[in-house]
Amino acid sequence: MNEPLGNMAGNSLEVIQTIEILKNRLKNDFFELSINLSAYTLMQTKTAKTFEEAKKIAEETISSGKALEKFIKMIELQNGDTRVISDYSVFGKATNIYRIKSQKNGYLKYIDTRNIGIASCMLGAGRLKAEDKIDFVSGIILNKKTGDKVYKNDILFELHYNKADIENIVKILNTAYTITEEKPEKVRKILDIME
């Protein structure tokens, strides 16, 4: 990937992002990709005749609250705790938050997203080795995406963690992006559709 998808990396953070989208409060690249994939599915099932009609159906399913209702039903059917929909503290919280700020003005450009994945694992949100234990509340919030204008001291990343070698993680993340004077092109999420 040329850029992380969405604004969050980490188990509970990604679920919170999904719930915020289903509540129609967040419209980011993850939302856009989900709408597009849903639209293609609606066309394949002949629910919609055109891509634009299918996108409209997908967007209305979210804005009407029907998608959130279905998600709640899925949680109930799996004996999950539906309180998470209105109270994210049910997931628990990381004991530490570290913020990485921009050192200058310019435009953000991701250059090594693999390092974001490695940093996320080092925080505890994933496994570097098969025997590693996952910390479900750890992860990274990405406050800026490729092409976004940034100013000195803007928060680029919020690192949520309980136990981690934060110094090395910060070094790794600082190699994952650059701040450029010229605005880079936004990263396309869908390059082509194979039928």
Side-chain angles (χ1 to χ4, degrees):
M1 288 175 45
N2 295 337
E3 177 183 56
L5 181 60
N7 295 85
M8 301 195 187
N11 294 274
S12 62
L13 293 175
E14 290 177 32
V15 176
I16 290 168
Q17 174 177 240
T18 301
I19 295 169
E20 285 297 298
I21 287 171
L22 292 174
K23 287 180 176 180
N24 204 30
R25 294 180 183 166
L26 179 62
K27 294 192 177 170
N28 59 9
D29 57 340
F30 180 66
F31 167 84
E32 289 172 25
L33 180 64
S34 299
I35 292 295
N36 281 294
L37 292 173
S38 297
Y40 284 111
T41 302
L42 290 169
M43 287 179 64
Q44 288 175 335
T45 60
K46 309 276 192 256
T47 305
K49 293 179 182 173
T50 67
F51 181 68
E52 288 309 315
E53 178 189 353
K55 274 182 72 172
K56 187 175 179 185
I57 291 169
E59 289 170 353
E60 285 176 357
T61 302
I62 289 176
S63 64
S64 69
K66 288 180 185 175
L68 181 63
E69 288 172 21
K70 187 62 76 174
F71 185 64
I72 292 168
K73 188 68 176 167
M74 289 170 65
I75 294 170
E76 288 171 346
L77 289 170
Q78 296 178 64
N79 296 315
D81 191 341
T82 58
R83 292 178 303 153
V84 298
I85 300 299
S86 57
D87 181 7
Y88 299 144
S89 71
V90 171
F91 288 116
K93 282 192 170 191
T95 54
N96 302 295
I97 296 177
Y98 185 93
R99 293 173 177 89
I100 297 177
K101 297 180 180 181
S102 174
Q103 299 303 305
K104 61 182 183 177
N105 299 336
Y107 294 93
L108 184 73
K109 181 178 180 185
Y110 286 103
I111 55 171
D112 191 349
T113 55
R114 182 175 180 271
N115 280 354
I116 294 171
I118 290 169
S120 182
C121 287
M122 289 174 70
L123 287 168
R127 293 184 178 98
L128 292 171
K129 302 182 298 291
E131 61 272 13
D132 288 348
K133 189 174 165 111
I134 292 178
D135 180 353
F136 295 104
V137 297
S138 292
I140 303 171
I141 297 176
L142 300 97
N143 291 314
K144 301 289 183 178
K145 302 290 285 196
T146 295
D148 285 351
K149 178 73 175 162
V150 295
Y151 298 94
K152 188 174 181 180
N153 293 321
D154 277 356
I155 297 169
L156 302 177
F157 303 104
E158 282 186 21
L159 313 180
H160 293 239
Y161 64 100
N162 289 311
K163 293 186 281 186
D165 179 1
I166 202 68
E167 258 183 58
N168 278 330
I169 294 168
V170 170
K171 284 178 189 172
I172 288 168
L173 283 173
N174 280 332
T175 67
Y177 70 93
T178 59
I179 305 291
T180 62
E181 288 184 20
E182 194 171 313
K183 183 175 183 173
E185 285 187 38
K186 287 276 186 187
V187 177
R188 288 175 52 211
K189 299 296 179 253
I190 300 175
L191 301 179
D192 198 6
I193 304 298
M194 297 173 63
E195 297 187 34

